[in-house]
């Protein structure tokens, strides 16, 4: 009888170890590069409350707020979630080739709708964000998914310093760009506009960038009904998100939107479950020079360019030149399913 129990216990242990290893395999290691930011805060808290993701680091980039404020916000958000185990590191302090453009207009004076979170119990890591990205890409080859949800400065610095990380990174899912007009002006989306040279480096690095653009974010709206649903159960994180969403919605309504665009959280969700978005392979170039179009993501949807050859005083089309896709561009989202996921993960938290 004793032997029977020992064998059963042994079998149970083998099954448990197998289940744990299967779960670990299915957990994706991610680095969120962020400029927090209202929708960044939502994205970070979604990731920290999703068992599919293991957040290896939050690296901070200037964008919605400057680098100092962004680091303070990231630390406070991690602390609110009780997640001081997550590495939080500062990164670049300015874009590669232009002045920083901050967005308190949309995100409030501190970038977090003016909501004052308690002082952070978490401490910043001393490593430089881009170096940490390089280090983690080597430590976990083919396992890291990068989720940049701010200007692409830190990612550009990392791949420029160590291009060998490109094939080591499993996936890169960015919130940025648009193929149907911008949110800064007619052409450019804010994250790409915030550092076009960095974006050009990232799109041309040799990996396939999954691009969750502002045009899709703007069709993935959180509404007052969603906030009420979120508030059916209270918790410190969900109460914080409700305050952010209320501020953000009021701001968006004043600008003529019927809800607030879930830009950054949709990128996190797409990394977790790509079926939440429709993706199409395209070649994307970043405009860095245009008078009206600096920061535009110029997407080729045909997979080719005309080859124009000079014949005397004019050019003639001499067939097409095939273009290799460098991006999987999201053209639509399943907004209802995404918002149900978002609310279910954060309700009562
Ligand atoms: Ca952001």
């Amino acid at each position: 009888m004793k032997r029977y129990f020992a064998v059963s216990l042994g079998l149970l242990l083998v099954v448990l170890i197998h289940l744990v290893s299967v779960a670990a395999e299915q957990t994706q290691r991610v680095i969120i590069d962020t400029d927090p930011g209202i929708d960044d805060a939502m994205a970070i808290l979604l990731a920290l409350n999703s068992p599919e993701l293991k957040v290896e680091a939050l690296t901070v980039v200037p964008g919605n707020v400057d680098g100092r404020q962004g680091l303070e916000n990231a630390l406070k958000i991690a602390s609110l979630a009780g997640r001081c185990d997550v590495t939080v590191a500062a990164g670049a302090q300015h874009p590669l080739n232009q002045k920083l453009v901050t967005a308190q207009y949309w995100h409030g004076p501190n970038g977090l709708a003016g909501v004052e979170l308690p002082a952070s119990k978490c401490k910043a890591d001393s490593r430089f964000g881009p170096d940490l990205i390089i280090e983690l890409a080597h430590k976990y080859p083919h396992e890291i998914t990068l989720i940049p949800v701010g200007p692409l400065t830190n990612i550009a610095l990392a791949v420029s310093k160590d291009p060998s990380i490109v094939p080591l990174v499993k996936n890169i899912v960015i919130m940025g760009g648009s193929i149907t007009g911008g949110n800064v002006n007619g052409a450019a989306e804010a994250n790409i506009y915030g550092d076009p040279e960095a974006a050009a480096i990232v799109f041309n690095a040799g990996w396939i960038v999954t691009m969750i653009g502002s045009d899709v974010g703007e069709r993935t709206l959180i509404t007052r009904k969603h906030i009420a649903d979120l508030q059916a159960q209270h918790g410190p994180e969900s109460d914080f998100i409700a305050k952010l969403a209320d501020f953000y919605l009021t701001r968006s309504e004043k600008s003529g939107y019927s809800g607030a665009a879930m830009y950054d959280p949709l990128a996190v969700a797409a990394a977790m479950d790509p079926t939440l978005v429709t993706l199409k392979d395209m070649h994307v170039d970043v405009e860095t020079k245009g008078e009206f179009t600096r920061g535009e993501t110029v997407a080729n949807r045909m997979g080719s360019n005309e080859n124009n050859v000079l014949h005397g005083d004019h050019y003639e089309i001499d067939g097409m030149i095939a273009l290799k896709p460098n991006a999987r561009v999201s053209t639509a989202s399943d907004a209802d399913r995404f918002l149900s996921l978002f609310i279910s993960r954060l309700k009562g938290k």
Side-chain angles (χ1 to χ4, degrees), residues 6-18:
V7 169
S8 308
L9 207 64
L11 271 176
L12 189 66
L13 210 62
V14 168
V15 169
L16 276 176
I17 289 168
H18 175 71

Side-chain angles (χ1 to χ4, degrees), residues 179-227:
I179 59 167
T180 56
N183 59 0
V184 170
N185 53 36
E189 177 281 328
N191 285 342
I192 308 297
Y193 183 80
D195 196 340
E197 281 73 21
I201 290 171
V202 171
F203 274 91
N204 291 311
W207 46 27
I208 302 283
V209 173
T210 300
M211 178 177 132
I212 310 297
S214 61
D215 46 353
V216 176
E218 280 150 20
R219 283 179 270 134
T220 311
L221 302 175
I222 191 163
T223 62
R224 303 234 170 251
K225 191 184 145 292
H226 294 119
I227 303 180

Side-chain angles (χ1 to χ4, degrees), residues 28 79 83 90 95 125 143 148 174 176 208 312 339:
Q28 248 191 103
S79 183
R83 293 297 303 277
D125 192 277
E143 288 187 42
I174 75 159
I208 302 283
L339 278 150

Side-chain angles (χ1 to χ4, degrees), residues 152-186:
L152 289 160
T153 320
N154 282 340
I155 312 299
L157 288 172
V159 294
S160 300
K161 186 172 178 183
D162 183 359
S164 78
I165 65 168
V166 169
L168 295 179
V169 165
K170 183 181 171 198
N171 204 358
I172 171 165
V173 182
I174 75 159
M175 189 281 128
S178 165
I179 59 167
T180 56
N183 59 0
V184 170
N185 53 36

Side-chain angles (χ1 to χ4, degrees), residues 5-57:
F5 276 122
V7 169
S8 308
L9 207 64
L11 271 176
L12 189 66
L13 210 62
V14 168
V15 169
L16 276 176
I17 289 168
H18 175 71
L19 285 177
V20 167
S21 70
V22 166
E25 262 172 41
Q26 285 170 349
T27 307
Q28 248 191 103
R29 296 184 198 277
V30 301
I31 299 172
I32 302 178
D33 187 72
T34 170
D35 58 337
I38 287 179
D39 57 325
D40 299 76
M42 293 175 170
I44 292 166
L45 291 174
L46 172 62
L48 293 178
N49 285 287
S50 291
E52 298 90 338
L53 303 181
K54 176 159 190 329
V55 181
E56 292 291 340

Side-chain angles (χ1 to χ4, degrees), residues 14-168:
V14 168
V15 169
L16 276 176
I17 289 168
H18 175 71
L19 285 177
V20 167
S21 70
V22 166
E25 262 172 41
Q26 285 170 349
T27 307
Q28 248 191 103
R29 296 184 198 277
V30 301
I31 299 172
I32 302 178
D33 187 72
T34 170
D35 58 337
I38 287 179
D39 57 325
D40 299 76
M42 293 175 170
I44 292 166
L45 291 174
L46 172 62
L48 293 178
N49 285 287
S50 291
E52 298 90 338
L53 303 181
K54 176 159 190 329
V55 181
E56 292 291 340
L58 302 175
T59 50
V60 177
V61 69
N64 291 326
V65 290
D66 65 22
R68 186 204 55 77
Q69 179 77 61
L71 181 65
E72 184 184 324
N73 291 352
L75 288 167
K76 283 180 171 173
I77 294 163
S79 183
L80 180 74
R83 293 297 303 277
C84 289
D85 59 303
V86 174
T87 305
V88 180
Q93 297 300 312
H94 53 81
L96 297 185
N97 199 29
Q98 67 175 30
K99 282 202 163 46
L100 174 64
V101 184
T102 58
Q104 285 85 354
Y105 177 81
W106 292 105
H107 294 265
N110 62 352
L112 298 176
V115 178
E116 288 300 336
L117 287 174
S120 177
K121 293 189 175 77
C122 310
K123 296 268 177 288
D125 192 277
S126 62
R127 286 168 287 186
F128 181 51
D131 290 339
L132 180 62
I133 291 168
I134 292 170
E135 193 182 316
L136 289 169
H138 284 283
K139 184 175 177 188
Y140 301 113
H142 314 292
E143 288 187 42
I144 295 280
T145 295
L146 298 176
I147 312 179
V149 292
L152 289 160
T153 320
N154 282 340
I155 312 299
L157 288 172
V159 294
S160 300
K161 186 172 178 183
D162 183 359
S164 78
I165 65 168
V166 169
L168 295 179

